[in-house]
Amino acid sequence: MEVKIKQIISHSVEAGTLAVTDWDKLPLPQMMIQEERARLHNASLQSPHSQPSGYPKSIAYETNEPKSKKRKSSDLGPSDEAGGRIAPWSQINGRKTLESRISYSEKRPRNDGVSANGSSKSFPILDGRKKRFEHTVRGTSPVHPWRKTAIHDATSQAPEGPVVGRCQDLEKGYFRLTSAPNPDTVRPLPVLEKTLEHLKRKWRQDKNYGFICNQFKSLRQDVTVQRIKNGFTVNAYEIHARIALEQGDLSEYNQCQTQLRALYAQKLGGHPTEFLAYRILYFLHTSNRTDMNDVLADLTPADKQDPAVKHALDSRSALALGNYHRFFQLYLNTPNMGAYLMDMFAGRERLAALSAICRAYRPDVKLRFATEELGFESDDESARFICDHGGQHFLEERHDGVRLMTGKASNFFDPALKAASARPGSKLGI
């Protein structure tokens, strides 16, 4: 078929009739092939040396090229496919065709687009297949009959904008949303403001963190689904973050801190420098140098002048220099609620300082000296810390008081320090 089309076009180009030929009225290539074969067959019956006329030699056939004995699928005419003529290989030795020898189960009807006798395509089935994929081709997903109700319900219930709550309850438990929020269970902003004051009173009175945390998570959820972003939102997140810090709940604190960073970027008020200092101290606790470097790079001169931020930066500098004396002086004078964060890694730094003291001072030091250097408030706390890490046999009581035998201790506390550095989340008995 392709060869015939090329021959026709080449002949028209050579004859100079390419632009004037009426291609709409020209017979199809397969019809030309059938007519040529018919003429060739009739001519061979009359005279084996006769040549068919009606078409130029270059279009009708090529005398120099041998005729292939194999028939291509493109050479079959309409009469061949419609049953007008059966291919020779389908009727060899009088056997049935391959299609007629294939049996199909009655319970499983054929659905491949071919009729039962195998003679032609089933156009209704093919048309049905085509319609099945019309929606996909157009860029929309197909809608099946059994899904129409569900899709209609989801579309009718989908909110077009933020939810506006109608609930008037001050206390409401937190439940993770698994569907679109119901306005009847969401509290509007005026009710949320009353809820926040109510929760602050409950916390001062009862100190029940489990209840308060659940209520604050519910409050934050109502704020989120209504897309409320103002000074009230900042205040609610800050209060919850402070309570979480006081209770050592770093999971809730981190969630609040993440939201507060986005809210502070919108200049909605609050105390951004206070929580910036908390971030620096938190990265000291987790030994996260990458995030610490990002924070330091984003600091402005105004941020560095804030007392809380300056204290956090001084603490970072003291740890970087190994100046435990300066670090524990800062530890005892931490502004705001930063002491709760410093408590989380003070035990690790005390072990590092104790190891340094044991290597630097020989043969012993007064326990009072260790108490002051490690930031303890009394000798009893210092002695308890040493005993908790297995150093009780290094404490000796003499006439001038209890002394720590640093010469014997030497590197004794190094394994405990290594274990503490490997798990920064441990408080290590501060």
Side-chain angles (χ1 to χ4, degrees), residues 273-305:
T273 54
E274 175 189 349
F275 282 86
L276 176 59
Y278 294 159
R279 274 191 84 209
I280 295 173
L281 294 177
Y282 175 77
F283 291 142
L284 289 178
H285 164 55
T286 58
S287 301
N288 191 337
R289 296 182 180 180
T290 302
D291 289 338
M292 175 67 78
N293 291 335
D294 293 339
V295 172
L296 297 179
D298 294 337
L299 288 177
T300 64
D303 293 335
K304 296 178 182 179
Q305 297 301 320

Side-chain angles (χ1 to χ4, degrees), residues 213-228:
C213 182
N214 181 272
Q215 293 297 314
F216 264 101
K217 291 174 68 174
S218 176
L219 184 148
R220 286 160 43 192
Q221 185 183 70
D222 289 350
V223 167
T224 302
V225 299
Q226 296 179 96
R227 304 180 191 175
I228 300 174

Side-chain angles (χ1 to χ4, degrees), residues 285-287 344-345 348 351 389 415-429:
H285 164 55
T286 58
S287 301
M344 296 180 182
F345 60 94
R348 179 186 68 204
L351 280 174
H389 293 89
L417 173 61
K418 184 177 180 180
S421 301
R423 54 179 194 279
S426 176
K427 293 186 180 181
L428 298 172

Side-chain angles (χ1 to χ4, degrees), residues 1 4-5 8 22-36 55 78:
M1 180 77 68
K4 174 58 65 179
I5 294 174
I8 295 172
D22 190 357
W23 298 100
D24 294 336
K25 295 182 179 180
L26 193 70
L28 296 176
Q30 56 264 37
M31 296 177 64
M32 292 182 181
I33 294 173
Q34 293 174 11
E35 292 177 3
E36 290 174 5
Y55 289 96

Side-chain angles (χ1 to χ4, degrees), residues 108-140:
R108 186 179 179 184
R110 296 183 64 188
N111 191 23
D112 56 357
V114 183
S115 60
N117 57 9
S119 61
S120 63
K121 293 288 184 180
S122 177
F123 291 101
I125 296 178
L126 293 177
D127 188 58
R129 287 181 178 176
K130 181 180 178 181
K131 291 181 178 180
R132 192 192 315 168
F133 295 98
E134 282 182 354
H135 295 285
T136 305
V137 174
R138 295 174 183 174
T140 58

Side-chain angles (χ1 to χ4, degrees), residues 71-89:
R71 301 184 69 194
K72 299 180 181 180
S73 60
S74 59
D75 295 338
L76 296 176
S79 60
D80 298 329
E81 295 182 358
R85 185 169 57 191
I86 301 177
W89 55 82

Side-chain angles (χ1 to χ4, degrees), residues 171-184:
E171 296 182 4
K172 189 189 74 168
Y174 169 75
F175 296 98
R176 187 180 297 274
L177 291 177
T178 56
S179 61
N182 184 0
D184 293 332

